Amino acid sequence: MADPRFFSVAGPFSLRDLAEIAGAEIGDGCDPQATFSDVAPLNTATSGDVAFLDNRRYVGEFEESRAGACLVHPDLAPKAPGGMALLLTPEPYHGYAKVAQTFYPVPVPKAGVHPQAAIDPTARIDDGCRIDAGAVIGPAAEVGSRCHIGANAVLGPGVKLGKDCTIGPRVCLACAILGDRIIIHAGTSIGQDGFGFALGADGHTKVPQLGRVLIEDEVEIGANCTIDRGTGPDTVIGAGTKIDNLVQIGHNVRLGRTCVIVSQVGISGSTATGDMVMMGGQAGLTGHLKIGSGARIGAQAGVMRDVPPGETVGGSPAVPMREWLKGVALMERMVKKKGK
Amino acid sequence: MADPRFFSVAGPFSLRDLAEIAGAEIGDGCDPQATFSDVAPLNTATSGDVAFLDNRRYVGEFEESRAGACLVHPDLAPKAPGGMALLLTPEPYHGYAKVAQTFYPVPVPKAGVHPQAAIDPTARIDDGCRIDAGAVIGPAAEVGSRCHIGANAVLGPGVKLGKDCTIGPRVCLACAILGDRIIIHAGTSIGQDGFGFALGADGHTKVPQLGRVLIEDEVEIGANCTIDRGTGPDTVIGAGTKIDNLVQIGHNVRLGRTCVIVSQVGISGSTATGDMVMMGGQAGLTGHLKIGSGARIGAQAGVMRDVPPGETVGGSPAVPMREWLKGVALMERMVKKKGK
Amino acid sequence: MADPRFFSVAGPFSLRDLAEIAGAEIGDGCDPQATFSDVAPLNTATSGDVAFLDNRRYVGEFEESRAGACLVHPDLAPKAPGGMALLLTPEPYHGYAKVAQTFYPVPVPKAGVHPQAAIDPTARIDDGCRIDAGAVIGPAAEVGSRCHIGANAVLGPGVKLGKDCTIGPRVCLACAILGDRIIIHAGTSIGQDGFGFALGADGHTKVPQLGRVLIEDEVEIGANCTIDRGTGPDTVIGAGTKIDNLVQIGHNVRLGRTCVIVSQVGISGSTATGDMVMMGGQAGLTGHLKIGSGARIGAQAGVMRDVPPGETVGGSPAVPMREWLKGVALMERMVKKKGK
């Protein structure tokens, strides 16, 4: 069970309810009235728990699991141990996500403004918001209904949030317009000046950064990230895109919808992506690139050229993944043969 | 026009004034009395706007631009569309920086100390400072005239700032001495202990870090960076150096003047650079290196040896850029020929 | 001498005391009653200072040093300049660490709660704690004796700290259980949601992150790091492990004891290490790996496979270090011969 100091479990729920929540079929002969009280991994689950099997690598654990119920692909159902209730679905991990959300719903923050928050009198705070201690909200900022502004977060002048946003502790937002249902984790800095200088031997002249950061609905951004505002055009994070921790996004970058950007990626100024682009950890992209929808960028890749839609690239400088893998294999053979 | 929620535009300004500001010549036949009210990119500018052309790649946009005026190199003036007022200069981007600064001057923060700031009674705050809510200023700290200390920033005991510094929200300064006109963006941590341990099988013994961080005039440092204080010698950032976001600078590092350090670079302890050194994004430098003035380090390079003045290096481990490019090309040919 | 604005020096101490502190032998003919008042590097030390020689590279500086005393390996004692008092030890750097800790003891923070801290009435704060301005401590949090909570730090609901912990300014802790004598530097974010989504073409479903972060005794964590909480299992940082700045640690990662993780490393979810593992700067590890005790991972390495105990790996993708070095040398020869 999750540590009750940090998490509150709901339930119990019947197998029938869980099947509906997960979009799953109940396995033959399983009792729809049976109830379950928690989720747990295959290897620690007991009779009251719901587990899931998503990766064939863990079939052995599945076969030996004591979980009371399990979300599993129908093809693997025959391997279930006796007595396990089955929730059959082609997407067990999605089903698990829904089930786990049901057992552990995100707590609705209790509305209210902490007396040690500092809210400018010209800011607009809509109904049902919670503003924690030390939060600072600047002049003319607008915070939509039911937002939660964490402790010591800072919203600069004019920043606008939609509804149901969760702004973590110590987040800083400036020159930013946010949609609805956005989550930003602790320590992320958004909307500061981009890195814009006219370089010169006697010193560098600062170029005013006159754009904004636009963050669309249902974006989630990790901890300690940095997203610079645009130079005149805006920096844009498309709806449903998920960004991990310590990611750097330069000025004028435009990320499409439902992209997945893993930790420590750096995207240089004015690079634009299509939708559903995936970037592995520590990848770096130079500026002014176009990355097509569905492209996949390997971890630690160094992307210096446009990437067509659907292409997978790897290496630094990045090339199509199959070429990079060929090069790695070739190098390995040469080292074995000739390396001294 | 820049979003008025975040930016206030000054002006209008006459072509004559703008020419003086930019250090540009007015093109033949252009009316010096004509006035302009904003800056804008070539492709969205209209008759009241000043644009610039700095990169030949955008000559097509220049030829079709509706900008009322444009900063441009004299060689490209013949390609201007009819009716466009020209500001001729060999350095159009510098000119633009100056013009944009004129239309969008940095607002002078209104002096005053927010009642929710926490300032130690032994700290010295000079005239004209603005201290935002939640800022914490420790004992014996000294803040020069007209500094702006952002919300929830923390200045440790004894920290000293010169004049006209802008310390962003949630910046943390410890054991640091700053010059004048320094800008530090949100979330950066400066002056914490460097990573110093005497390693041992039974545990690592902490080595006291007894130096400071010295930051010279007109340095700008991005968001969420980390700069450790020295071990006894100091960590030094030379005048006019510009540092992007999420950069790590280890103890005793000495950066020269007017260096440019792009995002996510990591510089290990005791490495020293000359002036005007450029480092591309995600480059890493090991410790105790000497990087000569004017050296350029490619993005994602892994520098393990000294770099002579003026040299350009790339790759990991880094080698002279021409060798790295040869190696990349050679590998590409081999993969085409032999790769399976 | 260290800047007295930031550091207070204790002493003077006699050679006899220093020998005991450092676990060193006093050199032949040196006066055990002689006293010393500070530590300093070889090249700037004068007659009242204690220096150390740990790296043969600096033997020249040793021979010319004016330090009054020096920690040195017995083998190098013959090279000492006349009149220098010697503290002989096979581990001079360890000895120096102890001596420097003696001259510059970590100040015991004066106990007390700043009136501008915000402490939930249900939190438990033990004797001798110091809570700085702007710190926010949530419901049911527990803070052990003599902890120092820095300015604007945030401890979420239920977070538990052992004794003698130092939590830097602007650190954020959530869903975390800490041991004793832990140091966390400014701006680090610990315990936020890991990056867990069930991916889908129409959007990504958030998977509840139901684990914690467990940090064992004597861990030190640098500035602006991110450590995600587990998904159900916990994220664990083993006792005595030292983590540099800007390091990313994903959900369910388990680091062993006394590991050393250099700046900007990224460790993906569910990777586990043994004890005394070293990782160089900017190294990246994919998820679900097993890294054996005593393994060493080179700077910028990209580790995609398990690493056996004691192995040293380098390159991206990482291979045994000797193979990587062979490949680098081979490539260099080929570029010289065939590169155009």
Side-chain angles (χ1 to χ4, degrees):
Chain A
M1 192 179 73
D3 189 327
R5 286 174 289 190
F6 304 120
F7 306 98
S8 298
V9 65
F13 299 99
S14 70
L15 192 65
R16 171 175 292 143
D17 289 344
L18 294 172
E20 192 178 337
I21 288 160
E25 299 284 316
I26 295 175
D28 281 353
C30 302
D31 174 10
Q33 313 297 343
T35 62
F36 299 91
S37 57
D38 207 343
V39 289
L42 279 171
N43 63 345
T44 61
T46 58
S47 63
D49 297 327
V50 184
F52 72 99
L53 172 64
D54 190 52
N55 186 329
R56 280 170 182 274
R57 182 163 26 158
Y58 297 106
V59 167
E61 290 194 3
F62 176 62
E63 290 174 319
E64 295 179 7
S65 178
R66 300 184 175 187
C70 190
L71 291 139
V72 62
H73 193 284
D75 292 355
L76 294 170
K79 296 188 178 287
M84 181 187 276
L86 297 182
L87 293 162
L88 304 170
T89 163
E91 292 193 317
Y93 194 48
H94 280 78
Y96 171 75
K98 296 274 171 66
V99 165
Q101 287 176 356
T102 303
F103 278 109
Y104 292 95
V106 178
V108 177
K110 203 173 154 187
V113 175
H114 194 282
Q116 281 160 279
I119 302 179
D120 190 274
T122 63
R124 195 197 82 208
I125 311 290
D126 287 351
D127 288 354
C129 286
R130 177 184 176 87
I131 317 287
D132 286 342
V136 177
I137 301 184
E142 301 179 43
V143 180
S145 303
R146 296 174 306 278
C147 285
H148 180 186
I149 311 297
N152 293 334
V154 178
L155 276 59
V159 165
K160 184 172 178 184
L161 274 64
K163 296 173 181 166
D164 300 298
C165 293
T166 300
I167 306 300
R170 299 166 33 252
V171 166
C172 186
L173 294 169
C175 304
I177 309 288
L178 277 69
D180 299 336
R181 298 178 302 285
I182 287 164
I183 300 172
I184 304 180
H185 292 286
T188 283
S189 297
I190 293 177
Q192 58 280 339
D193 286 6
F195 196 61
F197 301 95
L199 304 184
D202 303 333
H204 310 307
T205 306
K206 190 167 171 66
V207 179
Q209 304 286 304
L210 303 170
R212 304 164 299 180
V213 178
L214 307 182
I215 303 181
E216 298 179 0
D217 296 347
E218 283 165 18
V219 164
E220 181 163 348
I221 299 172
N224 290 14
C225 293
T226 53
I227 303 180
D228 291 339
R229 70 173 184 266
T231 58
D234 297 312
T235 302
V236 181
I237 312 297
T241 283
K242 308 299 181 187
I243 297 175
D244 201 348
N245 299 333
L246 288 169
V247 169
Q248 149 70 4
I249 296 184
H251 51 202
N252 305 344
V253 165
R254 299 180 76 92
L255 296 182
R257 297 165 63 97
T258 61
C259 295
V260 174
I261 313 295
V262 175
S263 181
Q264 295 177 320
V265 162
I267 307 178
S268 300
S270 301
T271 283
T273 82
D275 301 335
M276 277 295 276
V277 170
M278 309 272 176
M279 300 189 195
Q282 297 183 335
L285 287 75
T286 60
H288 299 273
L289 299 181
K290 292 202 190 316
I291 310 297
S293 286
R296 300 166 72 99
I297 314 248
Q300 291 190 332
V303 184
M304 299 181 182
R305 284 184 289 202
D306 291 353
V307 178
E311 180 73 277
T312 299
V313 300
S316 179
V319 293
M321 184 61 87
R322 60 193 174 280
E323 287 178 30
W324 181 64
L325 292 174
K326 276 183 193 173
V328 166
L330 178 61
M331 200 69 206
E332 206 174 309
R333 290 198 306 269
M334 289 194 302
V335 164
K336 277 200 184 131
K337 204 165 32 170
K338 302 191 208 168
K340 62 170 176 192
Chain B
M1 194 179 72
D3 189 327
R5 285 175 289 190
F6 305 120
F7 306 98
S8 297
V9 64
F13 299 99
S14 70
L15 192 63
R16 172 174 293 143
D17 290 345
L18 294 173
E20 194 178 335
I21 288 159
E25 299 284 315
I26 294 176
D28 282 353
C30 302
D31 175 10
Q33 313 296 343
T35 61
F36 299 90
S37 57
D38 208 342
V39 289
L42 279 171
N43 63 345
T44 60
T46 58
S47 61
D49 297 327
V50 185
F52 72 99
L53 172 64
D54 189 53
N55 185 331
R56 282 170 180 274
R57 183 164 22 162
Y58 296 107
V59 166
E61 290 194 3
F62 175 61
E63 291 175 318
E64 295 179 6
S65 178
R66 300 185 175 186
C70 190
L71 291 140
V72 62
H73 193 285
D75 293 354
L76 293 170
K79 294 187 178 289
M84 180 187 275
L86 298 182
L87 294 162
L88 304 171
T89 163
E91 292 192 317
Y93 194 47
H94 279 77
Y96 171 75
K98 295 275 171 64
V99 165
Q101 286 176 357
T102 303
F103 278 108
Y104 293 94
V106 177
V108 177
K110 204 173 153 187
V113 175
H114 194 282
Q116 281 160 279
I119 302 179
D120 190 274
T122 63
R124 196 197 82 209
I125 312 289
D126 287 351
D127 288 352
C129 286
R130 177 185 177 86
I131 317 288
D132 286 342
V136 177
I137 300 184
E142 302 179 42
V143 180
S145 303
R146 296 175 305 278
C147 285
H148 180 187
I149 310 298
N152 292 334
V154 178
L155 275 59
V159 165
K160 184 173 179 184
L161 274 62
K163 296 172 182 167
D164 300 297
C165 293
T166 300
I167 306 301
R170 298 166 33 250
V171 166
C172 186
L173 293 169
C175 304
I177 310 288
L178 277 68
D180 299 335
R181 298 178 301 285
I182 286 164
I183 300 172
I184 304 180
H185 292 286
T188 282
S189 296
I190 292 178
Q192 57 282 338
D193 286 7
F195 196 62
F197 300 95
L199 304 184
D202 304 332
H204 310 308
T205 306
K206 190 167 171 65
V207 180
Q209 304 286 303
L210 303 171
R212 304 164 299 179
V213 178
L214 307 183
I215 303 181
E216 298 180 359
D217 296 346
E218 283 165 17
V219 164
E220 181 163 347
I221 300 172
N224 289 14
C225 292
T226 54
I227 303 181
D228 290 339
R229 71 172 183 266
T231 58
D234 297 311
T235 302
V236 181
I237 312 296
T241 283
K242 308 299 181 185
I243 297 175
D244 202 350
N245 299 333
L246 289 170
V247 168
Q248 150 71 2
I249 295 184
H251 51 204
N252 306 343
V253 166
R254 300 180 74 92
L255 296 182
R257 296 165 62 96
T258 62
C259 295
V260 174
I261 312 296
V262 175
S263 180
Q264 294 178 319
V265 162
I267 307 178
S268 300
S270 300
T271 283
T273 82
D275 301 333
M276 277 295 277
V277 170
M278 309 270 176
M279 301 189 194
Q282 297 183 335
L285 287 76
T286 60
H288 300 272
L289 299 182
K290 293 203 190 314
I291 310 297
S293 287
R296 300 165 70 100
I297 310 227
Q300 291 190 331
V303 184
M304 299 181 183
R305 284 184 290 202
D306 292 351
V307 178
E311 180 73 277
T312 300
V313 300
S316 179
V319 293
M321 184 62 86
R322 60 196 174 278
E323 287 178 30
W324 182 62
L325 292 174
K326 275 182 195 172
V328 167
L330 178 61
M331 200 69 206
E332 206 174 308
R333 289 198 306 270
M334 290 193 301
V335 164
K336 276 202 184 127
K337 203 164 37 170
K338 302 190 207 166
K340 62 172 176 191
Chain C
M1 193 180 72
D3 189 328
R5 285 174 289 190
F6 305 120
F7 306 98
S8 298
V9 65
F13 299 99
S14 69
L15 192 64
R16 173 175 291 142
D17 289 345
L18 295 173
E20 192 177 337
I21 288 160
E25 299 285 316
I26 294 175
D28 281 352
C30 302
D31 175 10
Q33 313 296 344
T35 60
F36 299 90
S37 57
D38 207 343
V39 288
L42 280 171
N43 62 346
T44 61
T46 59
S47 62
D49 297 327
V50 185
F52 71 99
L53 172 64
D54 190 52
N55 186 330
R56 282 169 180 273
R57 183 163 24 160
Y58 296 107
V59 167
E61 291 193 4
F62 175 61
E63 290 174 319
E64 295 178 6
S65 178
R66 301 183 174 187
C70 190
L71 291 140
V72 62
H73 193 285
D75 292 354
L76 293 170
K79 295 187 179 288
M84 180 187 275
L86 298 181
L87 292 162
L88 303 171
T89 163
E91 293 192 317
Y93 193 48
H94 280 77
Y96 171 76
K98 296 274 171 65
V99 166
Q101 286 175 357
T102 303
F103 278 108
Y104 293 94
V106 178
V108 177
K110 203 173 153 187
V113 175
H114 194 283
Q116 281 160 278
I119 302 179
D120 190 273
T122 63
R124 196 197 82 208
I125 312 290
D126 287 351
D127 288 352
C129 287
R130 177 184 176 86
I131 317 286
D132 286 342
V136 177
I137 301 184
E142 301 179 43
V143 179
S145 302
R146 297 175 304 280
C147 286
H148 180 187
I149 311 297
N152 292 334
V154 178
L155 275 61
V159 164
K160 184 174 181 183
L161 273 64
K163 296 171 181 166
D164 300 297
C165 293
T166 300
I167 306 300
R170 299 165 32 250
V171 166
C172 185
L173 293 169
C175 304
I177 309 287
L178 276 69
D180 299 335
R181 298 178 301 286
I182 287 164
I183 300 172
I184 305 180
H185 293 287
T188 282
S189 297
I190 293 178
Q192 57 282 337
D193 286 7
F195 196 62
F197 300 96
L199 304 184
D202 303 333
H204 311 307
T205 305
K206 191 168 171 64
V207 179
Q209 304 287 303
L210 303 170
R212 305 164 299 180
V213 177
L214 307 182
I215 303 180
E216 298 179 0
D217 295 347
E218 283 164 21
V219 164
E220 181 164 347
I221 300 172
N224 290 14
C225 292
T226 53
I227 303 180
D228 290 339
R229 70 173 185 265
T231 57
D234 297 312
T235 302
V236 182
I237 312 296
T241 284
K242 309 299 180 185
I243 298 175
D244 202 350
N245 300 333
L246 288 169
V247 168
Q248 150 71 4
I249 295 185
H251 52 203
N252 305 345
V253 166
R254 299 180 76 92
L255 296 182
R257 296 166 64 96
T258 62
C259 296
V260 174
I261 313 294
V262 175
S263 180
Q264 294 178 320
V265 162
I267 307 178
S268 299
S270 300
T271 283
T273 82
D275 300 335
M276 277 294 278
V277 170
M278 309 271 176
M279 302 190 195
Q282 298 183 335
L285 287 76
T286 60
H288 299 272
L289 299 182
K290 293 203 189 315
I291 310 297
S293 285
R296 301 167 69 99
I297 308 220
Q300 291 191 332
V303 184
M304 299 180 183
R305 284 183 290 201
D306 292 352
V307 177
E311 180 73 277
T312 299
V313 300
S316 179
V319 293
M321 184 62 86
R322 61 196 174 277
E323 286 179 31
W324 182 63
L325 293 173
K326 274 183 195 173
V328 167
L330 179 60
M331 200 69 205
E332 207 176 307
R333 290 198 306 270
M334 289 195 300
V335 164
K336 275 200 186 133
K337 203 164 36 169
K338 302 190 207 166
K340 62 170 174 193

